[in-house]
Amino acid sequence: CLPPARPSPIPPPLSLSSLLGFSFIGFARGQSRTAPYRSVNPATAGALEPDFFPATVAEADKACVLADQATPVLAGLSGQKKAAFLRDIATRIEAATPALVARATQETGLPEARCQGEIGRTMGQLRLFADLVEKGDWIDARIETANPDRKPLPKPDHRSLLRPVGPVAVFCASNFPFAYSVAGGDTASAFAAGCPVIVMAHHAHVGTAEIMGGLIVEAVKAAGLPEGTFSLLMGEGRIIGQQVAKHPALRAIGFTGSRVGGRALMDTAAARPTPIPVYAEMSSVNPVVLLEGALAARGEAIATGLVGSCTLGVGQFCTQPGLIVLTRSAAAEAFVAKLSALFTECADGVMLTAGIHQAYQKGLADRTAQSGVKVIAQGKSSGQPNRAVATLFATEAKTFVADASLQEEIFGPSSLVIWCADQCEVDAVLGALHGNLTATVHGTDAELGQHAALIARLEAVAGRVVINGFPTGVEVSHAIVHGGPYPSLSDGRTTSVGSNAIYRFTRLVCFQNYPDAALPAELRNANPLGLSRLVNGTRSNSAI
């Protein structure tokens, strides 16, 4: 039984001096003082106070045990109680925005406006899931009533709905300190499903993570929920994160990051005595196909929009358009000339970490050295620490099709133009594509009608197909799909953004021949929650 929820107080102002540098193990704080580390301001390369201390293996185990103990309590929560909890987290984040922005700008080099916008998105995600679970229809209640007179065998009573899977580990992303972090979409969707959450803080913005973790812990306490509802672990993902991934209490993992990191978790989860799913968002090059009519009609506008999309956030978005596919023509040549000029004018930008900057530099060097690939434009360099210079490459379709490494993501403001001689070469390029989060087509209305097969090819390799737009910017909604075939996602049937993300952390349970009083409220004959249910194949809000 849950104790009565306490009224949610107005969150007190937070200050950077309140950071302690320890994990949250349920309601307790970590005790280890070994191997301290600090986050770094990428704009100055200067270390930030205070010291942070990795969780120990014992503390990680304790967090998992507490989550396991909290599982049945959270699974039994009503939609109204979960909604109130999610909204309270959002309210606390709103009140703490100044402290969150102050720390995040130091740890990431991101501007204040970007951080404030991302905090708004984070609160919006929490409230979206609150509305979803409060309404309740998401559980997909289905009822097939018994027919004892059916021949040759009686028909049993079957009733099913979605249940939470249990404890979920969330690995925070480097490039989104809020929306894909401690209180981001993975955490929000897991809480909405009724799952305890253990978060692995990202070392690049661990101070921001501590502030956010404290807000969630206070919301857990205010709701009267068990302390295992939430834990925040600091430390190296390859050590403590792997320990959590192997723990027998864990039931699913949410991850946003590199393909190397995602595959490591996938392999660990598959090798467990009881394998568990890993929902990993990894790499995507987000191809953009430009058709002749669109280039002739508005080539300069497309070039301006495309360079903005390529360099937005210093190219550190998972939807950054890394491939530009077009057929040689006068309009295409003029377009690439304009795009090259715009790239040349780009100022460099601060990358999130020194490690990301080093990886970007290596990616540029490797691509420059590849046979059949050339640099056609580079932006300006200030020579300051951790700055990325926008870089535009070009190659021929035959080279691209023959070299799978040209589909490897360069995380930063870089794109590759792929020149095709004709539509057959365009088809060959699209046929060689790996899975992506997005694919984009620019064309006239007539061209879009004529190229239905091309668009169908893109649907097969991307989770979101954009027409006459740009892929950066992911609207959080009930219909959004932020996912795609491997390697963009480990499971291309899912999404990591939007209300459909909740289904990753659920499983179907069927109740056969249960007495009505023993059924979950969602499946009882009277339909006390007023849900829309599928009853004997017909959608209904009525009682049976």
Side-chain angles (χ1 to χ4, degrees):
C1 295
L2 291 175
R6 301 194 300 273
S8 179
I10 297 174
L14 297 174
S15 66
L16 302 184
S17 62
S18 66
L19 294 175
L20 301 178
F22 298 108
S23 301
F24 289 92
I25 316 299
F27 296 158
R29 301 303 298 268
Q31 298 298 312
S32 170
R33 289 187 176 273
T34 60
Y37 65 99
R38 292 189 175 187
S39 55
V40 175
N41 185 329
T44 65
L48 300 167
E49 294 183 345
D51 287 339
F52 292 88
F53 299 93
T56 65
V57 169
E59 288 169 344
D61 181 76
K62 179 65 173 177
C64 293
V65 170
L66 287 172
D68 194 37
Q69 293 170 352
T71 294
V73 178
L74 267 64
L77 289 181
S78 68
Q80 289 74 18
K81 288 182 178 178
K82 288 189 290 186
F85 172 54
L86 292 166
R87 291 185 181 121
D88 187 37
I89 297 173
T91 298
R92 293 171 187 274
I93 292 171
E94 189 168 24
T97 293
L100 289 165
V101 169
R103 183 69 186 193
T105 53
Q106 292 181 35
E107 290 186 316
T108 65
L110 295 172
E112 286 189 12
R114 157 70 191 274
C115 290
Q116 288 169 343
E118 196 182 324
I119 288 172
R121 170 176 166 172
T122 303
M123 293 187 294
Q125 289 177 154
L126 289 160
R127 289 165 176 155
L128 177 80
F129 282 110
D131 293 343
L132 182 77
V133 297
E134 188 171 56
K135 184 179 179 184
D137 293 338
W138 72 275
I139 54 104
D140 192 22
R142 299 185 179 211
I143 298 173
E144 288 286 330
T145 55
N147 181 1
D149 298 323
R150 191 186 68 176
K151 303 298 182 184
L153 295 173
K155 177 187 174 185
D157 186 279
H158 284 156
R159 306 185 184 212
S160 68
L161 79 171
L162 290 164
R163 286 296 210 191
V165 295
V168 172
V170 170
F171 288 73
C172 297
S174 63
N175 58 336
F176 283 86
F178 301 110
Y180 290 85
S181 192
V182 178
D186 286 344
T187 298
S189 55
F191 278 156
C195 300
V197 176
I198 302 161
V199 172
M200 281 298 308
H202 197 282
H203 64 86
H205 37 77
V206 68
T208 306
E210 182 180 340
I211 297 171
M212 190 69 81
L215 298 174
I216 297 178
V217 168
E218 290 306 309
V220 172
K221 292 178 180 178
L225 299 176
E227 65 172 326
T229 299
F230 174 79
S231 290
L232 173 69
L233 302 179
M234 300 173 186
E236 176 59 60
R238 285 174 289 186
I239 301 172
I240 297 302
Q242 284 286 329
Q243 175 73 18
V244 172
K246 294 174 183 177
H247 198 282
L250 202 68
R251 290 294 177 266
I253 295 172
F255 170 87
T256 303
S258 69
R259 192 188 307 190
V260 171
R263 278 308 307 250
L265 285 172
M266 290 167 64
D267 293 344
T268 295
R272 289 166 45 115
T274 303
I276 60 174
V278 176
Y279 299 104
E281 181 196 323
M282 295 177 287
S283 63
S284 182
V285 291
N286 308 296
V288 178
V289 180
L290 304 175
L291 301 178
E292 174 74 14
L295 291 178
R298 46 189 176 85
E300 288 202 8
I302 294 173
T304 300
L306 191 56
V307 75
S309 185
C310 290
T311 59
L312 183 67
V314 199
Q316 298 167 115
F317 282 17
C318 48
T319 52
Q320 192 266 359
L323 299 179
I324 302 167
V325 183
L326 70 176
T327 304
R328 284 195 184 275
S329 68
E333 295 280 5
F335 167 82
V336 172
K338 176 64 175 179
L339 187 67
S340 299
L342 292 172
F343 260 81
T344 302
E345 295 169 4
C346 289
D348 60 9
V350 180
M351 301 202 84
L352 292 156
T353 69
I356 290 173
H357 178 254
Q358 291 165 7
Y360 179 68
Q361 292 297 103
K362 183 179 186 303
L364 294 184
D366 290 348
R367 184 148 295 177
T368 301
Q370 287 179 280
S371 176
V373 179
K374 62 180 180 180
V375 176
I376 60 173
Q378 277 197 303
K380 301 171 183 177
S381 174
S382 66
Q384 296 299 306
N386 301 318
R387 263 65 173 184
V389 176
T391 304
L392 185 63
F393 294 92
T395 192
E396 301 294 326
K398 291 179 181 178
T399 302
F400 177 82
V401 171
D403 189 351
S405 71
L406 292 176
Q407 294 195 57
E408 293 177 4
E409 180 183 30
I410 297 178
F411 191 64
S414 173
S415 294
L416 174 65
V417 172
I418 304 172
W419 284 111
C420 300
D422 50 33
Q423 187 60 45
C424 288
E425 287 199 347
V426 172
D427 291 342
V429 168
L430 301 188
L433 288 175
H434 302 158
N436 284 276
L437 294 170
T438 74
T440 300
V441 180
H442 282 268
T444 64
D445 289 348
E447 285 177 319
L448 295 174
Q450 294 161 5
H451 288 84
L454 181 152
I455 295 173
R457 280 182 177 271
L458 295 179
E459 289 177 8
V461 297
R464 176 164 59 103
V465 180
V466 180
I467 301 296
N468 291 331
F470 302 97
T472 44
V474 179
E475 180 73 22
V476 179
S477 72
H478 294 295
I480 191 67
V481 174
H482 193 61
Y486 183 87
S488 63
L489 231 63
S490 55
D491 186 340
R493 299 168 296 176
T494 63
T495 177
S496 63
V497 178
S499 60
N500 278 323
I502 195 173
Y503 297 110
R504 299 173 299 168
F505 305 125
T506 63
R507 65 185 184 90
L508 282 166
V509 178
C510 179
F511 302 81
Q512 182 168 328
N513 292 338
Y514 266 55
D516 189 70
L519 286 165
E522 295 91 340
L523 298 177
R524 292 176 189 164
N525 289 339
N527 194 13
L529 303 181
L531 303 181
S532 173
R533 308 185 297 184
L534 193 67
V535 180
N536 295 325
T538 301
R539 183 63 59 182
S540 173
N541 293 83
S542 302
I544 298 174

